[in-house]
Short mmCIF file of all heavy atoms in Angstrom, two decimals:
data_model
loop_
_atom_site.label_atom_id
_atom_site.label_comp_id
_atom_site.label_asym_id
_atom_site.label_seq_id
_atom_site.Cartn_x
_atom_site.Cartn_y
_atom_site.Cartn_z
N ALA I 1187 0.80 -1.20 -0.02
CA ALA I 1187 -0.01 0.02 -0.01
C ALA I 1187 0.87 1.28 -0.02
O ALA I 1187 0.44 2.28 -0.54
CB ALA I 1187 -0.94 0.01 1.21
N ALA I 1188 2.07 1.17 0.57
CA ALA I 1188 2.93 2.32 0.67
C ALA I 1188 3.65 2.66 -0.63
O ALA I 1188 4.17 3.76 -0.88
CB ALA I 1188 3.93 2.15 1.81
N LEU I 1189 3.74 1.64 -1.54
CA LEU I 1189 4.45 1.80 -2.74
C LEU I 1189 3.73 2.76 -3.69
O LEU I 1189 2.49 2.69 -3.78
CB LEU I 1189 4.66 0.46 -3.48
CG LEU I 1189 5.60 -0.51 -2.79
CD1 LEU I 1189 5.55 -1.83 -3.55
CD2 LEU I 1189 7.02 0.04 -2.68
N PRO I 1190 4.43 3.66 -4.43
CA PRO I 1190 3.77 4.45 -5.41
C PRO I 1190 3.17 3.50 -6.47
O PRO I 1190 3.62 2.38 -6.76
CB PRO I 1190 4.95 5.24 -6.06
CG PRO I 1190 5.99 5.22 -5.01
CD PRO I 1190 5.84 3.92 -4.34
N ALA I 1191 2.06 4.02 -7.05
CA ALA I 1191 1.33 3.14 -8.10
C ALA I 1191 2.27 2.75 -9.26
O ALA I 1191 2.14 1.58 -9.72
CB ALA I 1191 0.16 3.98 -8.64
N ALA I 1192 3.21 3.62 -9.67
CA ALA I 1192 4.05 3.24 -10.74
C ALA I 1192 5.03 2.08 -10.34
O ALA I 1192 5.31 1.21 -11.22
CB ALA I 1192 4.96 4.46 -11.10
N VAL I 1193 5.41 1.97 -9.09
CA VAL I 1193 6.27 0.91 -8.63
C VAL I 1193 5.39 -0.37 -8.53
O VAL I 1193 5.89 -1.47 -8.96
CB VAL I 1193 6.91 1.25 -7.24
CG1 VAL I 1193 7.64 0.07 -6.71
CG2 VAL I 1193 7.82 2.51 -7.40
N ARG I 1194 4.14 -0.25 -8.04
CA ARG I 1194 3.29 -1.47 -8.02
C ARG I 1194 3.15 -2.03 -9.44
O ARG I 1194 3.17 -3.21 -9.65
CB ARG I 1194 1.98 -1.15 -7.35
CG ARG I 1194 2.09 -0.87 -5.89
CD ARG I 1194 0.70 -0.87 -5.24
NE ARG I 1194 -0.15 0.14 -5.78
CZ ARG I 1194 -0.43 1.34 -5.28
NH1 ARG I 1194 0.26 1.76 -4.24
NH2 ARG I 1194 -1.31 2.11 -5.89
N ASP I 1195 2.88 -1.16 -10.35
CA ASP I 1195 2.77 -1.54 -11.84
C ASP I 1195 4.00 -2.20 -12.33
O ASP I 1195 4.01 -3.28 -12.95
CB ASP I 1195 2.42 -0.37 -12.70
CG ASP I 1195 0.96 0.16 -12.45
OD1 ASP I 1195 0.18 -0.51 -11.80
OD2 ASP I 1195 0.72 1.31 -12.89
N LYS I 1196 5.21 -1.67 -11.97
CA LYS I 1196 6.45 -2.22 -12.39
C LYS I 1196 6.67 -3.64 -11.78
O LYS I 1196 7.09 -4.51 -12.45
CB LYS I 1196 7.59 -1.27 -12.00
CG LYS I 1196 8.94 -1.71 -12.48
CD LYS I 1196 9.01 -1.64 -14.07
CE LYS I 1196 10.41 -1.96 -14.51
NZ LYS I 1196 10.39 -2.05 -15.96
N VAL I 1197 6.34 -3.77 -10.52
CA VAL I 1197 6.51 -5.08 -9.84
C VAL I 1197 5.60 -6.06 -10.56
O VAL I 1197 6.08 -7.20 -10.85
CB VAL I 1197 6.19 -4.97 -8.32
CG1 VAL I 1197 6.03 -6.37 -7.71
CG2 VAL I 1197 7.26 -4.19 -7.63
N ASP I 1198 4.34 -5.72 -10.84
CA ASP I 1198 3.49 -6.66 -11.52
C ASP I 1198 4.08 -7.04 -12.89
O ASP I 1198 4.02 -8.20 -13.31
CB ASP I 1198 2.10 -6.06 -11.65
CG ASP I 1198 1.31 -6.07 -10.38
OD1 ASP I 1198 1.77 -6.69 -9.39
OD2 ASP I 1198 0.22 -5.46 -10.40
N GLU I 1199 4.59 -6.05 -13.63
CA GLU I 1199 5.16 -6.26 -14.88
C GLU I 1199 6.34 -7.26 -14.87
O GLU I 1199 6.47 -8.19 -15.59
CB GLU I 1199 5.63 -4.96 -15.56
CG GLU I 1199 6.32 -5.04 -16.86
CD GLU I 1199 6.85 -3.71 -17.33
OE1 GLU I 1199 6.18 -2.68 -17.09
OE2 GLU I 1199 7.98 -3.70 -17.88
N LEU I 1200 7.21 -7.00 -13.88
CA LEU I 1200 8.39 -7.84 -13.70
C LEU I 1200 7.98 -9.23 -13.24
O LEU I 1200 8.55 -10.20 -13.73
CB LEU I 1200 9.33 -7.19 -12.65
CG LEU I 1200 10.07 -5.91 -13.10
CD1 LEU I 1200 10.66 -5.22 -11.93
CD2 LEU I 1200 11.05 -6.26 -14.19
N MET I 1201 7.04 -9.37 -12.43
CA MET I 1201 6.55 -10.70 -11.96
C MET I 1201 5.94 -11.43 -13.15
O MET I 1201 6.14 -12.68 -13.26
CB MET I 1201 5.66 -10.59 -10.80
CG MET I 1201 6.31 -10.03 -9.51
SD MET I 1201 7.76 -11.03 -9.07
CE MET I 1201 7.00 -12.66 -8.71
N ALA I 1202 5.22 -10.80 -13.98
CA ALA I 1202 4.61 -11.40 -15.20
C ALA I 1202 5.68 -11.91 -16.12
O ALA I 1202 5.53 -12.94 -16.85
CB ALA I 1202 3.72 -10.42 -15.91
N GLU I 1203 6.89 -11.33 -16.08
CA GLU I 1203 8.00 -11.75 -16.87
C GLU I 1203 8.91 -12.76 -16.18
O GLU I 1203 9.92 -13.19 -16.68
CB GLU I 1203 8.84 -10.56 -17.26
CG GLU I 1203 8.17 -9.56 -18.18
CD GLU I 1203 8.94 -8.24 -18.35
OE1 GLU I 1203 10.00 -8.10 -17.78
OE2 GLU I 1203 8.44 -7.43 -19.08
N GLY I 1204 8.55 -13.09 -14.91
CA GLY I 1204 9.32 -14.03 -14.15
C GLY I 1204 10.59 -13.43 -13.56
O GLY I 1204 11.57 -14.16 -13.27
N ARG I 1205 10.69 -12.13 -13.38
CA ARG I 1205 11.84 -11.42 -13.01
C ARG I 1205 11.75 -10.97 -11.53
O ARG I 1205 11.69 -9.79 -11.25
CB ARG I 1205 12.11 -10.25 -14.00
CG ARG I 1205 12.36 -10.74 -15.36
CD ARG I 1205 12.43 -9.63 -16.36
NE ARG I 1205 13.58 -8.75 -16.02
CZ ARG I 1205 13.69 -7.51 -16.56
NH1 ARG I 1205 12.80 -7.07 -17.40
NH2 ARG I 1205 14.77 -6.80 -16.20
N SER I 1206 11.74 -11.93 -10.63
CA SER I 1206 11.46 -11.60 -9.22
C SER I 1206 12.66 -10.82 -8.61
O SER I 1206 12.40 -10.02 -7.74
CB SER I 1206 11.13 -12.87 -8.40
OG SER I 1206 12.25 -13.75 -8.41
N VAL I 1207 13.88 -11.11 -8.98
CA VAL I 1207 15.02 -10.39 -8.44
C VAL I 1207 14.87 -8.84 -8.76
O VAL I 1207 15.12 -8.05 -7.90
CB VAL I 1207 16.33 -10.95 -8.87
CG1 VAL I 1207 17.53 -10.13 -8.51
CG2 VAL I 1207 16.51 -12.39 -8.44
N GLN I 1208 14.54 -8.63 -9.96
CA GLN I 1208 14.41 -7.19 -10.40
C GLN I 1208 13.18 -6.57 -9.67
O GLN I 1208 13.20 -5.39 -9.32
CB GLN I 1208 14.22 -7.11 -11.85
CG GLN I 1208 15.45 -7.36 -12.61
CD GLN I 1208 15.73 -8.92 -12.85
OE1 GLN I 1208 14.91 -9.75 -12.45
NE2 GLN I 1208 16.78 -9.26 -13.57
N ALA I 1209 12.18 -7.33 -9.37
CA ALA I 1209 10.96 -6.82 -8.66
C ALA I 1209 11.34 -6.46 -7.22
O ALA I 1209 10.94 -5.44 -6.73
CB ALA I 1209 9.87 -7.87 -8.71
N VAL I 1210 12.22 -7.33 -6.60
CA VAL I 1210 12.69 -7.01 -5.22
C VAL I 1210 13.47 -5.70 -5.30
O VAL I 1210 13.29 -4.85 -4.44
CB VAL I 1210 13.57 -8.19 -4.69
CG1 VAL I 1210 14.30 -7.74 -3.45
CG2 VAL I 1210 12.70 -9.39 -4.38
N PHE I 1211 14.32 -5.54 -6.30
CA PHE I 1211 15.15 -4.29 -6.41
C PHE I 1211 14.25 -3.09 -6.57
O PHE I 1211 14.45 -2.02 -6.00
CB PHE I 1211 16.11 -4.39 -7.56
CG PHE I 1211 16.90 -3.11 -7.76
CD1 PHE I 1211 18.00 -2.88 -6.98
CD2 PHE I 1211 16.58 -2.26 -8.74
CE1 PHE I 1211 18.68 -1.70 -7.17
CE2 PHE I 1211 17.25 -1.06 -8.91
CZ PHE I 1211 18.33 -0.80 -8.10
N ALA I 1212 13.11 -3.20 -7.39
CA ALA I 1212 12.25 -2.09 -7.55
C ALA I 1212 11.54 -1.74 -6.22
O ALA I 1212 11.44 -0.51 -5.98
CB ALA I 1212 11.15 -2.54 -8.62
N VAL I 1213 11.19 -2.69 -5.46
CA VAL I 1213 10.58 -2.37 -4.13
C VAL I 1213 11.59 -1.69 -3.21
O VAL I 1213 11.32 -0.67 -2.60
CB VAL I 1213 10.02 -3.62 -3.45
CG1 VAL I 1213 9.48 -3.35 -2.02
CG2 VAL I 1213 8.85 -4.22 -4.29
N ARG I 1214 12.81 -2.23 -3.15
CA ARG I 1214 13.83 -1.68 -2.24
C ARG I 1214 14.23 -0.27 -2.68
O ARG I 1214 14.57 0.55 -1.83
CB ARG I 1214 15.11 -2.56 -2.19
CG ARG I 1214 14.80 -3.81 -1.35
CD ARG I 1214 15.97 -4.48 -0.69
NE ARG I 1214 17.20 -3.78 -0.37
CZ ARG I 1214 17.56 -3.46 0.85
NH1 ARG I 1214 16.71 -3.71 1.84
NH2 ARG I 1214 18.70 -2.84 1.01
N SER I 1215 14.20 0.01 -3.95
CA SER I 1215 14.60 1.35 -4.43
C SER I 1215 13.47 2.25 -4.72
O SER I 1215 13.56 3.32 -5.46
CB SER I 1215 15.52 1.19 -5.70
OG SER I 1215 14.76 0.52 -6.65
N SER I 1216 12.29 1.97 -4.13
CA SER I 1216 11.03 2.76 -4.45
C SER I 1216 11.01 4.12 -3.84
O SER I 1216 10.11 4.90 -4.19
CB SER I 1216 9.81 1.94 -4.01
OG SER I 1216 9.82 1.81 -2.60
N GLY I 1217 11.82 4.38 -2.87
CA GLY I 1217 11.80 5.64 -2.09
C GLY I 1217 10.93 5.54 -0.84
O GLY I 1217 10.85 6.58 -0.11
N VAL I 1218 10.40 4.43 -0.58
CA VAL I 1218 9.56 4.32 0.70
C VAL I 1218 10.49 4.44 1.85
O VAL I 1218 11.63 3.82 1.80
CB VAL I 1218 8.87 2.95 0.74
CG1 VAL I 1218 8.28 2.64 2.08
CG2 VAL I 1218 7.80 2.89 -0.39
N GLU I 1219 10.12 5.21 2.81
CA GLU I 1219 11.02 5.44 4.06
C GLU I 1219 10.20 4.82 5.28
O GLU I 1219 9.03 5.13 5.38
CB GLU I 1219 11.30 6.89 4.23
CG GLU I 1219 12.21 7.42 3.24
CD GLU I 1219 13.62 6.88 3.31
OE1 GLU I 1219 14.07 6.47 4.37
OE2 GLU I 1219 14.29 6.83 2.29
N PRO I 1220 10.87 4.22 6.18
CA PRO I 1220 12.21 3.73 6.12
C PRO I 1220 12.31 2.68 4.95
O PRO I 1220 11.31 1.93 4.68
CB PRO I 1220 12.50 3.12 7.39
CG PRO I 1220 11.22 2.70 8.01
CD PRO I 1220 10.25 3.68 7.42
N ARG I 1221 13.54 2.55 4.41
CA ARG I 1221 13.74 1.64 3.33
C ARG I 1221 13.43 0.21 3.75
O ARG I 1221 13.95 -0.24 4.79
CB ARG I 1221 15.17 1.68 2.84
CG ARG I 1221 15.47 0.88 1.63
CD ARG I 1221 16.89 1.03 1.23
NE ARG I 1221 17.15 0.27 -0.04
CZ ARG I 1221 18.32 0.03 -0.55
NH1 ARG I 1221 19.44 0.53 0.13
NH2 ARG I 1221 18.44 -0.61 -1.66
N PRO I 1222 12.62 -0.52 3.06
CA PRO I 1222 12.21 -1.88 3.45
C PRO I 1222 13.38 -2.84 3.40
O PRO I 1222 14.25 -2.69 2.48
CB PRO I 1222 11.14 -2.28 2.47
CG PRO I 1222 11.22 -1.33 1.32
CD PRO I 1222 11.91 -0.14 1.81
N GLY I 1223 13.46 -3.76 4.35
CA GLY I 1223 14.53 -4.74 4.36
C GLY I 1223 14.39 -5.76 3.23
O GLY I 1223 13.28 -5.87 2.63
N LEU I 1224 15.49 -6.43 2.96
CA LEU I 1224 15.51 -7.48 1.90
C LEU I 1224 14.47 -8.49 2.12
O LEU I 1224 13.67 -8.88 1.19
CB LEU I 1224 16.87 -8.03 1.77
CG LEU I 1224 17.03 -9.02 0.65
CD1 LEU I 1224 16.74 -8.42 -0.72
CD2 LEU I 1224 18.50 -9.57 0.73
N ARG I 1225 14.30 -9.05 3.29
CA ARG I 1225 13.35 -10.11 3.58
C ARG I 1225 11.93 -9.66 3.38
O ARG I 1225 11.12 -10.33 2.75
CB ARG I 1225 13.53 -10.64 5.01
CG ARG I 1225 12.48 -11.67 5.44
CD ARG I 1225 12.31 -12.86 4.54
NE ARG I 1225 13.54 -13.70 4.45
CZ ARG I 1225 13.71 -14.62 3.61
NH1 ARG I 1225 12.80 -14.95 2.69
NH2 ARG I 1225 14.79 -15.34 3.59
N ALA I 1226 11.62 -8.43 3.79
CA ALA I 1226 10.28 -7.88 3.60
C ALA I 1226 9.94 -7.75 2.11
O ALA I 1226 8.80 -8.06 1.63
CB ALA I 1226 10.09 -6.58 4.32
N CYS I 1227 10.96 -7.31 1.34
CA CYS I 1227 10.78 -7.16 -0.08
C CYS I 1227 10.57 -8.56 -0.81
O CYS I 1227 9.70 -8.70 -1.62
CB CYS I 1227 11.95 -6.43 -0.68
SG CYS I 1227 12.03 -4.70 -0.20
N GLN I 1228 11.38 -9.50 -0.36
CA GLN I 1228 11.28 -10.83 -0.90
C GLN I 1228 9.89 -11.45 -0.60
O GLN I 1228 9.29 -12.09 -1.46
CB GLN I 1228 12.35 -11.72 -0.39
CG GLN I 1228 13.75 -11.42 -0.91
CD GLN I 1228 14.82 -12.17 -0.23
OE1 GLN I 1228 14.77 -12.39 1.01
NE2 GLN I 1228 15.84 -12.60 -0.97
N ASP I 1229 9.41 -11.23 0.64
CA ASP I 1229 8.14 -11.76 1.00
C ASP I 1229 7.03 -11.13 0.21
O ASP I 1229 6.06 -11.79 -0.25
CB ASP I 1229 7.89 -11.62 2.51
CG ASP I 1229 8.77 -12.46 3.38
OD1 ASP I 1229 9.40 -13.44 2.88
OD2 ASP I 1229 8.83 -12.21 4.58
N LEU I 1230 7.10 -9.80 0.04
CA LEU I 1230 6.14 -9.09 -0.73
C LEU I 1230 6.05 -9.53 -2.19
O LEU I 1230 4.99 -9.79 -2.72
CB LEU I 1230 6.42 -7.55 -0.67
CG LEU I 1230 5.50 -6.66 -1.56
CD1 LEU I 1230 4.12 -6.61 -0.87
CD2 LEU I 1230 6.09 -5.33 -1.69
N VAL I 1231 7.27 -9.69 -2.80
CA VAL I 1231 7.26 -10.11 -4.20
C VAL I 1231 6.76 -11.52 -4.32
O VAL I 1231 6.06 -11.85 -5.25
CB VAL I 1231 8.70 -9.97 -4.67
CG1 VAL I 1231 8.95 -10.71 -6.00
CG2 VAL I 1231 9.07 -8.47 -4.88
N ALA I 1232 7.10 -12.44 -3.43
CA ALA I 1232 6.53 -13.75 -3.47
C ALA I 1232 5.03 -13.78 -3.32
O ALA I 1232 4.35 -14.51 -4.06
CB ALA I 1232 7.19 -14.65 -2.32
N GLU I 1233 4.54 -13.05 -2.38
CA GLU I 1233 3.09 -12.91 -2.21
C GLU I 1233 2.41 -12.33 -3.50
O GLU I 1233 1.35 -12.86 -3.94
CB GLU I 1233 2.75 -12.01 -1.03
CG GLU I 1233 1.30 -11.87 -0.71
CD GLU I 1233 1.05 -10.92 0.46
OE1 GLU I 1233 1.91 -10.64 1.26
OE2 GLU I 1233 -0.15 -10.43 0.52
#
């Protein structure tokens, strides 16, 4: 919910392409403060 809409769209696009590592990077570099941890990003992308 905290991610900007453009980042959510990018994550969906990357996941549709099977690019989960890039999706994690998109979440981590989204500008959300405090910066989400790697595990939280991985869990989010998996979900």
Side-chain angles (χ1 to χ4, degrees):
L1189 293 174
V1193 175
R1194 291 192 304 262
D1195 291 344
K1196 185 66 176 177
V1197 168
D1198 284 353
E1199 175 186 324
L1200 290 167
M1201 292 307 295
E1203 296 171 358
R1205 298 173 61 195
S1206 61
V1207 172
Q1208 291 84 356
V1210 168
F1211 178 77
V1213 174
R1214 284 203 31 104
S1215 61
S1216 66
V1218 170
E1219 291 293 333
R1221 185 177 186 194
L1224 181 58
R1225 175 53 64 191
C1227 294
Q1228 290 172 320
D1229 290 347
L1230 175 72
V1231 165
E1233 182 182 340

